[in-house]
Amino acid sequence: MRYTKLRKENFHEFLRVLERYGKVYAPHRISEKFYDFREMRDPNDVVTEYPRTVMPPKKFFFEPLSELFKVGLRDFSYSTPEEDIQPFVIFGVHAYDIKGLMILDSVYMEPGLEEKQYAVRRQKALIVGISDMPDQYNFSNVRNADWVDEGFDLFLHPIEEGWLIRVGSPTGHKIIDDNSQLFHGTTLKDIDDFKEHEKRRQLSFPMCMSLSDVRYVLEVNWNNPIWEEEAKRCLGCGNCTMTCPTCRCYEVWDEPDVELSSASRFRRWDSCQFHDHGLVAGGENFREHKVDRFRHRYNCKNSYVKALHCDFCVGCGRCTAFCPAGISYMGIITHLMEAKVHED
Amino acid sequence: MKTDNYTDLYKLNKAHVVRVFDLTDKEKLFVFRFDDKDLASTWTYKPGQFVQIAVPGVGESTISITSSATRKGFFELCIRKVGRVTSVIHKLRPGDVVGIRGPYGNGFPMEAMEGKDLLLIASGLGMAPLRGVFLYALDNRWLYGRIALINTARYSSELLFREELDAMLDMTTAENLLIMQTVTREPEYPGLKGRATEYIDQTGVDPKNCAVIVCGPPRMYMDVFRKVLQLGFSPDHLYMTLERRMKCGVGKCGHCVAGTATNMVYMCKDGPVFTYYDIMSTPGLI
Ligand SMILES: Cc1cc2nc3c(=O)[nH]c(=O)nc-3n(C[C@H](O)[C@H](O)[C@H](O)COP(=O)(O)OP(=O)(O)OC[C@H]3O[C@@H](n4cnc5c(N)ncnc54)[C@H](O)[C@@H]3O)c2cc1C
Ligand code: SF4
Ligand code: SF4
Ligand code: FES
């Protein structure tokens, strides 16, 4: 891997340079407690230290609401929306979110079944990662999502003089080469800074355990009373799935235009926590009760991504941090790991 | 950067209704042909696969293909009127157009069943996918041993394809076939009465060398499997189809996901055909 250095004094200039590669979206503080990716207007507003954004970067590729196609009702002509997606840059993405995008890729860009809307956006995006300092909800380390070797163009790690940058793609190399005035060779001291920082970061993760067998833990605890107890507290609001970097369910519907000359098919994000997610004709529902839906999310998130040999959950902690009922995802999982299935 | 090298997953292909047959009070059989002649002549599918059929402006439904691709140029769907989309489809007349995507799903492994007897058990709407299997096997008659079909419903008026199957009775001897149609809730019915499981031992198939395919309400599956295993059938060739809500058919929308953390499946992509072993290893599948 190629390493280079960006000095503190060059940081704002670097953000400006990124704008040459497309519109830049970066973490901004949007309220007292919350951060989110927003279009960058002033590099001074860009935040480099934040626990997590409310919305993961999936929204740039799999949009919350979109039109899939339009059909002429008279001639049955089929067309997809004219899209002119310009290259864009997402700056400041944490490792777990990069891993989340790779997991979404395994679904939305599955070989032979690529979804065009998603794939086109993915091709146009430049990803600049940034090292995060975990807070109490972050368990990306136990998900093996606290570090990525791919899935980014550049990745920034804080060092005393500014930033050590890992270069992860040909576009990343070009950015460095085309703007060489901004970058400097790394010294041994920079490398030590970087290692030191990573060591400190590793020690800050609140959890240290193995989740290798979590799939079995969930399966054998299918009837554990905790599901009912916690599902009772759950409001079914869907915050946990909407903010999850790898949740990707969508609902579709058709809508004729006002002149009834054409009809569009739209899609929007859906949540398995909603009652109608599994509802079929005749009122039958494959996940009728809240507990069925509640438990399903845990099973789905902990199931296996075959293409990447990892779990769907990357441990970002959003589902816990943004749950209005204060339900702790890892709290439930650790409880189940300890639980006895057999009652004496 | 290349961006247009992806095919459109959701593209609707225009097809028109060729004929419509009333099967029962609730089910109609539709014969469709693609308007595009290349598509009409080359489109193919496996027994057990399904399509997404769209009425633009109304919506889309998941429907099993009930014909067999051994006959080209058209395909058939047997559609029960239950809700918004299917009600509009039921009003379609010859010449009307719909949008079709597919075929989707894994389908039945018909090659793996070659050389075996076939026992097909359908209940209610389950006859729709099974008819595709049956017609495929008849069109490839030399590939399979004895073929037995048990079609069941609650009332005789609900037996799908009843007349079509009755009309085949004259060839059962020559073709080594057995066709049984039985009803469960109509005591005055002159034909066979009772559940399919009561007739399995009279079908004349060889339990040692027979593939069993069951399509119907999921609650009947374990009963049938228990019965055939008890009669000495091999568990290696027991198949069934399952249903879930489906919105995309291509493993994206997440509506058809089911199972547990050790084995989460997409009904649309990993199914809708599953084996006895699949249901034994995936709690919650049926
Ligand atoms: C693999 C598979 C094969 C099927 N094969 C057939 C068939 O051969 N013949 C047939 O008549 N029906 C079949 N069905 C059921 C059929 O898809 C539904 O009856 C139909 O979608 C109902 O649509 P609706 O808009 O009329 O009903 P509504 O009640 O208005 O449904 C609204 C929406 O819910 C979804 N939905 C409702 N019921 C179902 C269901 N049972 N399965 C999946 N999605 C559903 C659809 O997206 C539908 O558009 C099959 C379903 C699956 C999953
Ligand atoms: S965010 Fe919390 S309350 Fe809302 S659906 Fe998820 S678990 Fe339930
Ligand atoms: S399940 Fe929760 S912790 Fe895991 S990736 Fe989704 S939001 Fe993050
Ligand atoms: S129907 Fe959309 S994922 Fe299976």
Side-chain angles (χ1 to χ4, degrees):
Chain A
M1 186 148 282
R2 179 180 177 185
Y3 302 90
T4 188
K5 176 166 59 179
L6 174 71
R7 292 209 173 116
K8 271 187 202 124
E9 56 271 28
N10 289 333
F11 180 67
H12 283 182
E13 183 55 24
F14 169 66
L15 289 176
R16 283 285 173 224
V17 157
L18 287 179
E19 285 185 311
R20 276 191 242 141
Y21 298 85
K23 195 176 270 181
V24 176
Y25 298 89
H28 284 68
R29 190 175 190 153
I30 56 164
S31 69
E32 195 192 326
K33 280 202 299 207
F34 295 141
Y35 298 83
D36 214 3
F37 288 104
R38 290 290 147 89
E39 189 184 333
M40 178 179 85
R41 301 202 186 274
D42 180 351
N44 284 305
D45 297 339
V46 171
V47 176
T48 57
E49 281 175 38
Y50 67 97
R52 63 184 58 71
T53 53
V54 176
M55 277 296 161
K58 73 175 175 185
K59 67 173 182 184
F60 294 105
F61 307 99
F62 169 50
E63 294 175 355
L65 170 71
S66 61
E67 183 183 359
L68 293 176
F69 58 75
K70 197 191 276 294
V71 179
L73 291 179
R74 276 174 210 104
D75 57 356
F76 215 90
S77 56
Y78 176 93
S79 59
T80 47
E82 286 281 332
E83 288 199 313
D84 183 21
I85 304 297
Q86 294 300 317
F88 62 103
V89 181
I90 315 181
F91 171 85
V93 187
H94 288 165
Y96 53 74
D97 272 344
I98 290 176
K99 186 81 179 268
L101 286 176
M102 288 162 65
I103 291 169
L104 279 190
D105 290 350
S106 75
V107 175
Y108 275 94
M109 291 175 60
E110 179 182 347
L113 285 175
E114 297 90 346
E115 192 192 281
K116 201 168 169 179
Q117 280 196 356
Y118 180 92
V120 167
R121 284 164 175 73
R122 221 31 195 119
Q123 280 186 338
K124 296 281 183 176
L126 224 127
I127 305 283
V128 181
I130 200 163
S131 181
D132 61 313
M133 200 41 91
D135 70 352
Q136 77 266 34
Y137 301 125
N138 184 330
F139 58 100
S140 57
N141 59 329
V142 293
R143 287 302 190 182
N144 268 322
D146 55 325
W147 182 268
V148 280
D149 293 317
E150 52 180 335
F152 56 85
D153 297 285
L154 299 171
F155 202 107
L156 275 60
H157 300 268
I159 53 176
E160 198 181 323
E161 276 192 52
W163 304 90
L164 180 131
I165 298 184
R166 288 188 294 141
V167 184
S169 76
T171 317
H173 286 287
K174 276 195 208 99
I175 297 175
I176 304 299
D177 294 340
D178 294 350
N179 303 282
S180 53
Q181 77 287 356
L182 285 181
F183 303 101
H184 291 85
T186 51
T187 62
L188 294 178
K189 158 88 168 64
D190 298 332
I191 301 289
D192 275 338
D193 274 4
F194 159 62
K195 284 176 63 189
E196 195 52 42
H197 176 83
E198 274 309 315
K199 204 157 71 191
R200 231 170 2 98
R201 178 172 169 260
Q202 282 304 329
L203 292 173
S204 310
F205 281 104
M207 291 204 168
C208 172
M209 64 199 286
S210 163
L211 283 182
S212 313
D213 61 351
V214 68
R215 286 179 282 283
Y216 297 90
V217 168
L218 286 169
E219 189 172 78
V220 300
N221 279 292
W222 191 261
N223 293 316
N224 191 292
I226 196 169
W227 296 123
E228 282 287 356
E229 289 158 21
E230 294 287 311
K232 252 189 230 136
R233 301 171 49 213
C234 167
L235 312 169
C237 66
N239 270 9
C240 47
T241 58
M242 299 297 166
T243 60
C244 176
T246 66
C247 273
R248 59 204 177 278
C249 282
Y250 67 77
E251 177 63 281
V252 299
W253 73 96
D254 282 25
E255 221 171 87
D257 68 3
V258 275
E259 286 109 48
L260 294 179
S261 62
S262 68
S264 297
R265 165 118 4 120
F266 292 98
R267 75 136 159 240
R268 66 171 148 67
W269 291 358
D270 196 1
S271 171
C272 60
Q273 301 305 295
F274 297 160
H275 181 255
D276 59 3
H277 190 270
L279 191 66
V280 295
E284 201 189 333
N285 194 329
F286 289 99
R287 281 186 277 275
E288 171 68 28
H289 304 289
K290 195 155 64 168
V291 62
D292 304 331
R293 301 189 287 277
F294 189 86
R295 180 173 46 203
H296 172 69
R297 187 174 78 87
Y298 285 77
N299 277 271
C300 188
K301 294 282 87 175
N302 286 286
S303 67
Y304 208 51
V305 186
K306 293 193 181 82
L308 297 173
H309 304 283
C310 64
D311 313 287
F312 275 96
C313 170
V314 294
C316 70
R318 286 188 178 90
C319 56
T320 303
F322 302 127
C323 174
I327 292 168
S328 165
Y329 173 89
M330 274 313 281
I332 292 179
I333 290 178
T334 40
H335 174 89
L336 293 174
M337 288 187 143
E338 306 291 313
K340 268 207 183 317
V341 180
H342 165 82
E343 278 181 43
D344 297 311
Chain B
M1 267 190 267
K2 276 184 294 177
T3 53
D4 290 324
N5 46 353
Y6 299 109
T7 51
D8 179 0
L9 276 184
Y10 306 114
K11 180 160 197 257
L12 298 180
N13 298 295
K14 190 174 167 186
H16 61 272
V17 178
V18 181
R19 305 177 76 180
V20 185
F21 299 93
D22 287 333
L23 293 178
T24 70
D25 288 349
K26 288 179 295 181
E27 284 102 0
K28 286 187 184 186
L29 178 70
F30 294 86
V31 183
F32 291 99
R33 172 171 294 145
F34 286 111
D35 287 32
D36 180 273
K37 68 176 186 310
D38 289 339
L39 196 58
S41 59
T42 57
W43 197 74
T44 189
Y45 51 90
K46 289 164 67 176
Q49 286 194 297
F50 61 87
V51 292
Q52 292 291 111
I53 173 172
V55 183
V58 183
E60 204 170 61
S61 276
T62 309
I63 305 289
S64 310
I65 310 171
T66 192
S67 46
S68 162
T70 37
R71 287 185 61 194
K72 294 246 175 269
F74 69 93
F75 60 94
E76 293 169 334
L77 306 178
C78 163
I79 301 178
R80 175 180 287 178
K81 181 175 159 181
V82 289
R84 258 163 49 82
V85 181
T86 49
S87 300
V88 178
I89 294 174
H90 263 237
K91 294 197 190 110
L92 297 180
R93 313 189 56 80
D96 288 345
V97 290
V98 295
I100 299 283
R101 331 185 258 128
Y104 296 132
N106 54 358
F108 291 103
M110 296 307 298
E111 291 81 23
M113 300 182 210
E114 286 174 14
K116 299 187 185 308
D117 289 354
L118 299 181
L119 171 59
L120 314 179
I121 300 176
S123 173
L125 199 48
M127 190 57 212
L130 261 198
R131 178 173 175 263
V133 177
F134 190 55
L135 296 181
Y136 174 93
L138 291 184
D139 288 347
N140 292 285
R141 188 64 198 88
W142 49 92
L143 295 178
Y144 302 97
R146 180 169 174 81
I147 302 174
L149 168 69
I150 310 179
N151 184 22
T152 70
R154 291 177 309 173
Y155 306 98
S156 54
S157 60
E158 293 178 348
L159 278 171
L160 280 183
F161 298 105
R162 176 182 170 199
E163 276 109 47
E164 178 179 285
L165 292 172
D166 275 344
M168 290 184 189
L169 289 173
D170 61 347
M171 65 173 184
T172 50
T173 313
E175 289 283 31
N176 191 19
L177 301 178
L178 175 82
I179 297 172
M180 286 175 154
Q181 305 207 63
T182 144
V183 301
T184 54
R185 296 218 193 143
E186 191 182 325
E188 56 282 8
Y189 177 62
L192 298 177
K193 287 182 278 286
R195 290 167 190 276
T197 39
E198 295 163 35
Y199 292 96
I200 294 174
D201 56 356
Q202 299 171 31
T203 52
V205 292
D206 174 12
K208 299 260 145 358
N209 186 35
C210 183
V212 182
I213 300 183
V214 200
C215 296
R219 61 188 118 60
M220 79 181 278
Y221 292 154
M222 279 325 280
D223 284 347
V224 172
F225 289 157
R226 233 174 270 127
K227 182 74 188 183
V228 294
L229 291 175
Q230 194 190 337
L231 291 171
F233 285 69
S234 159
D236 290 344
H237 293 282
L238 306 185
Y239 304 95
M240 79 202 116
T241 57
L242 292 175
E243 272 191 25
R244 280 295 186 282
R245 187 157 189 222
M246 293 188 185
K247 284 287 174 180
C248 72
V250 287
K252 306 284 185 261
C253 76
H255 280 93
C256 69
V257 168
T260 60
T262 61
N263 200 7
M264 258 312 146
V265 298
Y266 287 95
M267 294 279 176
C268 66
K269 205 166 54 109
D270 306 321
V273 172
F274 292 94
T275 66
Y276 169 72
Y277 296 123
D278 290 330
I279 59 162
M280 293 311 283
S281 49
T282 313
L285 216 50
I286 60 172

